[in-house]
Amino acid sequence: MARRFGGQFSPGGKPDGPGPVGAPATTLPPPLRGRARTTILMALSALPVVTAFAQDGALSLAGSLLAGALLFGGAALTREGLKAEAAWQARRIARRPALPRKVFGAVVTGCGVALAAASGFEPSLAAIVYGIVASALHVVSFGLDPMSDKGMEGVDAFQTERVARTIEEAERHLAAMQDAVRRARDREAETRVARLSARAREMFRAVEDDPRDLTAARRYLGVYLMGARDATVKFADLYVATRDAEAKAAYFNLLDELERGMNAKRETLLVSDRTDLDVEIEVLRDRLKADGLPTGD
């Protein structure tokens, strides 16, 4: 989505300066892999629609229009599948997509090509072959959906499932916050929400590294993010109507408090992990000493 330009010399802009200590730099998300190809597929779906009105007969017209709709729908399914795959790859613990969107996109695209090649709704061997080839090329170009859950060795399936489910819910809260704050049309607010999201995802990674930390971090991943989502929705609705500076300042204070809390909780999780490591090292050293082996002490 396009973003308004802003900076030190823009209207309403503020001089550049150091931000809060420890604030991560705002980065743009990486471009979606394969997005350009799905855009081309969406553009190609207009061809059967353009040629539909040159067809003879109502059935040929309806067949061409339906072919264009199928091609566009196949491209849209594929793009959603690419987004789900990117989210799956970015996380260390993740469940496979419940709906194989890229596979369905290949099937729908093949049906659209077959219908476009047919004469109306009358199937022919050539049209069927074209559809099969189109589906095969779609799979070669975009690949298949992730077919397995991604977990961690040494972690039981129940813990992995709990972590994956909790982080999926937390990601939905972050996505809802980002969608809501865009309605406020305030670049600074969008930047602050993006910074909080980055901090939250750092906590996600810490929990994925050690699912035993889920219990300690669950309040931040659920209750607090849900409250932040609701506050963001109310702020956006109020600010777009009134441009209330006091409401904006109060909202930013809330984000600051959440960010500080997440930083503190993440540090606590890291200290706990370090303590666990030290305990494991000491236990191993005691065993080596008991066996009469040198430990270097």
Side-chain angles (χ1 to χ4, degrees), residues 6 16 38 46 48 62 64 79 83 92 104 120 126-127 133 151 187 190 227 232 240 248 250 255 273 275 284:
D16 295 333
T38 57
S64 297
R79 177 169 291 184
K83 292 179 181 178
R92 298 185 183 182
F104 285 171
V133 171
R187 187 171 181 269
E190 293 181 30
T232 302
V240 74
K248 180 178 177 179
L255 296 184
D273 292 342
T275 302
L284 180 57

Side-chain angles (χ1 to χ4, degrees), residues 12-58:
K14 296 182 180 180
D16 295 333
V21 176
T26 303
T27 57
L28 293 175
L32 182 64
R33 181 173 175 268
R35 182 184 181 92
R37 283 171 285 166
T38 57
T39 302
I40 293 173
L41 287 180
M42 290 180 177
L44 290 176
S45 66
L47 292 179
V49 177
V50 171
T51 60
F53 299 98
Q55 303 290 332
D56 295 331

Side-chain angles (χ1 to χ4, degrees), residues 9 35 48 56 94 104 134 141 143 178-179 182 196 212 227 234 266 297:
F9 302 106
R35 182 184 181 92
D56 295 331
F104 285 171
S141 178
Q178 292 168 346
D179 290 341
R182 291 190 188 102
L196 177 66
R212 294 174 299 177
K234 293 178 181 178
R266 181 171 175 269
D297 293 340

Side-chain angles (χ1 to χ4, degrees), residues 2 10 19 22 43 62 68 91 132 134 158 161 183 200 225 227 251 263 275 278:
S10 300
R91 291 166 50 186
I132 294 174
F158 176 73
E161 179 70 15
R183 297 202 307 269
L225 282 184
Y251 176 65
N263 289 339
T275 302
D278 292 340

